[in-house]
Amino acid sequence: PPPRAFPLSPRDEREEEMKSESTNRVLLAALGLLVLANFLALSGTTQRSGDLQLPMTASRTGRSVSVCAERFRLNNLSPQPGSTHRKKRIGRGYSAGQGGSAGKGMRGQNSRSGGGVRTGFEGGQTPLYRRLPKYPGRPMGPAHSYTRYGVIKTDYLNQMPDNAVVDFPALMDARVMTDTKERIHKVLLGEEDLTTKGLTVRAHSVSDSARKAIEDNGGTIEILPKRKYYTYEQRETKKELHPRNKKNLEAKGKLVGGKKRR
């Protein structure tokens, strides 16, 4: 500071000292706040280093997207606003927008309840699935199909104990096989020779070579019914008929020794 032309009084000197001290305190407080803000920014960046980083973009509403956005997870996924719509209710009056004929027109087969034709119908002409040639093992529509089995190889039977009752659930319980999408199963001959003795194999179909290998080792085969939605847990025994059922001949006294009375 420039030299003063006249000396200050003791009171003015004290006031000058107090002003300089207050200025120093303000500067120290500002410096401390700046250091604290930098520390918090660095700690937030380190904590969210694994989050998805998105650029700053302006949206339609004028708001900007945060740089540190939340990571996409299964518990926070949701469709974008406006991408999904509520199902439109038809046939509920003209004020709803699709009343009256409900968008199906006034006449014709497709405007009726349950209207339309079956899959593959071409108005009476020979349909495509009948015009094409048929090849074994390749289903080509209603006129040509085959039964699809889950495969049980005789190699799996070697891992079961002797004189055991073997079916697909038993192989799964022994952790020899995993689950299959087919509900019915067929036994086929594997690469190894069958060594297990006295097996009782329960399956829906058995190849001739697998049957020969099982019977040569003293085993037997039980053929299960081939139903589309077969489950191994259902009862195979027939339910007893009601006494008043027309087919219950035993209750009506028309069976003698297990045979129908003439």
Side-chain angles (χ1 to χ4, degrees):
R4 299 181 180 273
F6 54 90
L8 294 176
S9 63
R11 180 178 179 181
D12 293 338
E13 290 180 356
R14 286 196 299 272
E15 290 180 355
E16 289 289 337
E17 291 177 358
M18 292 177 63
K19 288 181 180 179
S20 61
E21 289 179 0
S22 61
T23 305
N24 293 335
R25 289 173 185 172
V26 171
L27 292 176
L28 289 175
L31 182 61
L33 290 176
L34 182 61
V35 172
L36 180 62
N38 291 335
F39 175 75
L40 293 177
L42 290 176
S43 63
T45 306
T46 305
Q47 183 178 4
R48 299 186 178 183
S49 60
D51 293 346
L52 180 65
Q53 302 294 325
L54 295 178
M56 294 287 289
T57 56
S59 61
R60 295 180 180 178
T61 58
R63 300 177 182 177
S64 59
V65 181
S66 175
V67 175
C68 295
E70 188 177 4
R71 179 191 289 269
F72 286 131
R73 302 183 186 277
L74 293 178
N75 60 351
N76 62 9
L77 289 179
S78 61
Q80 291 293 328
S83 62
T84 58
H85 304 276
R86 188 174 60 181
K87 183 180 179 181
K88 194 164 190 177
R89 301 171 72 241
I90 61 174
R92 295 296 184 271
Y94 288 101
S95 62
Q98 283 290 347
S101 57
K104 294 186 176 183
M106 295 191 300
R107 292 177 295 276
Q109 184 179 13
N110 291 329
S111 68
R112 266 58 177 179
S113 174
V117 295
R118 67 177 184 274
T119 304
F121 184 71
E122 299 183 14
Q125 72 177 14
T126 305
L128 180 65
Y129 70 87
R130 289 178 57 193
R131 296 197 301 268
L132 296 178
K134 308 300 186 293
Y135 298 100
R138 297 186 180 183
M140 295 291 292
H144 188 84
S145 61
Y146 70 100
T147 305
R148 188 183 296 273
Y149 294 97
V151 177
I152 300 176
K153 294 185 178 181
T154 54
D155 299 343
Y156 304 145
L157 305 181
N158 287 332
Q159 305 182 36
M160 303 299 290
D162 294 341
N163 303 319
V165 179
V166 181
D167 53 7
F168 181 69
L171 293 171
M172 286 189 60
D173 294 339
R175 300 199 175 189
V176 177
M177 292 184 63
T178 56
D179 195 9
T180 60
K181 64 180 180 180
E182 294 85 9
R183 298 295 94 191
I184 58 179
H185 298 85
K186 184 175 184 177
V187 181
L188 300 178
L189 188 65
E191 299 178 358
E192 303 175 1
D193 295 335
L194 183 63
T195 57
T196 311
K197 307 292 183 181
L199 291 177
T200 302
V201 181
R202 301 174 69 246
H204 302 85
S205 180
V206 182
S207 65
D208 295 337
S209 57
R211 180 186 295 273
K212 185 177 182 303
I214 294 171
E215 292 178 350
D216 290 346
N217 285 275
T220 57
I221 298 172
E222 180 183 348
I223 301 298
L224 302 176
K226 300 176 184 177
R227 290 194 287 268
K228 184 176 181 181
Y229 301 103
Y230 180 84
T231 56
Y232 287 89
E233 291 78 13
Q234 61 189 0
R235 292 167 43 182
E236 297 299 334
T237 57
K238 292 184 178 180
K239 186 178 179 181
E240 296 183 0
L241 297 176
H242 194 270
R244 291 197 296 271
N245 194 317
K246 294 188 295 184
K247 297 181 180 180
N248 194 345
L249 303 178
E250 185 177 0
K252 295 183 178 181
K254 295 183 180 180
L255 284 180
V256 178
K259 296 182 180 180
K260 188 175 181 180
R261 179 186 296 175
R262 295 184 178 179

